[in-house]
Amino acid sequence: MNKWLTLANHFDKLNRNVAIIARWAVLLMLGLGFWNVIGRYVGVVIGHNLSSNRLIEGQWYLFDLVFLFGLGWTLQRQGHVRVDVLQNRWGKQRKAKVELLGTLLLLLPFAIGIMAISIEPTLHSWSINEASPDPNGLPRYWIKTLIPISFLILALQGIAEAIRNWSVLQSSSLLNQSKGSNRQEKSFD
């Protein structure tokens, strides 16, 4: 089981590093948004346009990056919506069972499905050099590439969570077996 936990730790590290990119993108997005607002008003005063479609789309693309690259990290930090009313009353083993089932039956099929169906449109976007329909807009294929990548990263984090929950169930099972064998030994004495 130790090698599986090592793999889960590698997936955690990947998501932490991707989250660093997302954090910097938040700062860039805010700076770009600030410039777009200030540039619009200052540009009117000086009679020169200081903003552009590229800058506005850049702000949108950074928001996309933050959202998509934050998926796996948010899962790692247990930040997604949960039904805590029920979970607060459950023991560690029951929580692990429900989390494992939810990951295997809901999260992983969803993440892998989105990844799979987004690959073909992404490749098509690259093949036609898809660009924004707005004048002087940005290429769209870069941002479309983030979709399959981010859902792959989310799936990897889901696998890490499944490994951990399986480990909890296995250790609880071993503990129960150990207690059962101790009781049997005492009954034979």
Side-chain angles (χ1 to χ4, degrees):
M1 193 60 167
N2 202 13
K3 68 179 178 176
W4 293 106
L5 289 173
T6 302
L7 180 64
N9 290 335
H10 286 302
F11 292 158
D12 284 347
K13 185 177 181 180
L14 171 67
N15 269 293
R16 279 193 302 273
N17 290 334
V18 168
I20 290 169
I21 296 169
R23 285 185 202 127
W24 282 105
V26 168
L27 293 175
L28 289 170
M29 179 185 67
L30 291 172
L32 199 51
F34 180 76
W35 174 257
N36 284 332
V37 170
I38 298 299
R40 186 176 309 135
Y41 292 109
V42 171
V44 168
V45 171
I46 65 171
H48 184 66
N49 188 8
L50 298 177
S51 188
S52 70
N53 283 339
R54 282 183 182 260
L55 293 175
I56 292 168
E57 287 182 7
Q59 185 179 350
W60 296 344
Y61 286 13
L62 287 167
F63 176 78
D64 294 343
L65 188 140
V66 169
F67 176 80
L68 291 169
F69 275 12
L71 290 172
W73 183 80
T74 303
L75 177 63
Q76 184 183 66
R77 297 289 179 206
Q78 307 295 313
H80 289 283
V81 175
R82 299 178 181 275
V83 185
D84 290 334
V85 174
L86 298 174
Q87 281 196 341
N88 287 337
R89 298 176 187 177
W90 293 345
K92 190 175 183 180
Q93 190 172 9
R94 187 175 209 184
K95 280 183 188 179
K97 268 185 200 174
V98 171
E99 289 289 328
L100 180 61
L101 286 173
T103 299
L104 295 176
L105 299 176
L106 300 171
L107 174 71
L108 289 176
F110 174 75
I112 292 167
I114 296 294
M115 182 184 63
I117 64 173
S118 66
I119 290 172
E120 193 275 323
T122 300
L123 293 174
H124 178 71
S125 182
W126 276 86
S127 71
I128 63 170
N129 289 327
E130 184 179 7
S132 170
D134 295 325
N136 210 17
L138 294 173
R140 291 261 166 103
Y141 48 88
W142 287 105
I143 203 65
K144 284 189 175 182
T145 304
L146 292 180
I147 298 169
I149 291 172
S150 64
F151 280 92
L152 170 64
I153 293 169
L154 176 62
L156 294 176
Q157 188 60 45
I159 291 168
E161 299 301 315
I163 290 169
R164 280 200 191 78
N165 286 310
W166 180 256
S167 176
V168 167
L169 293 173
Q170 290 300 106
S171 63
S172 295
S173 176
L174 291 174
L175 183 63
N176 290 338
Q177 286 175 359
S178 169
K179 286 180 181 178
S181 66
N182 286 342
R183 282 188 216 128
Q184 286 177 349
E185 288 173 9
K186 288 180 183 179
S187 67
F188 287 124
D189 291 337

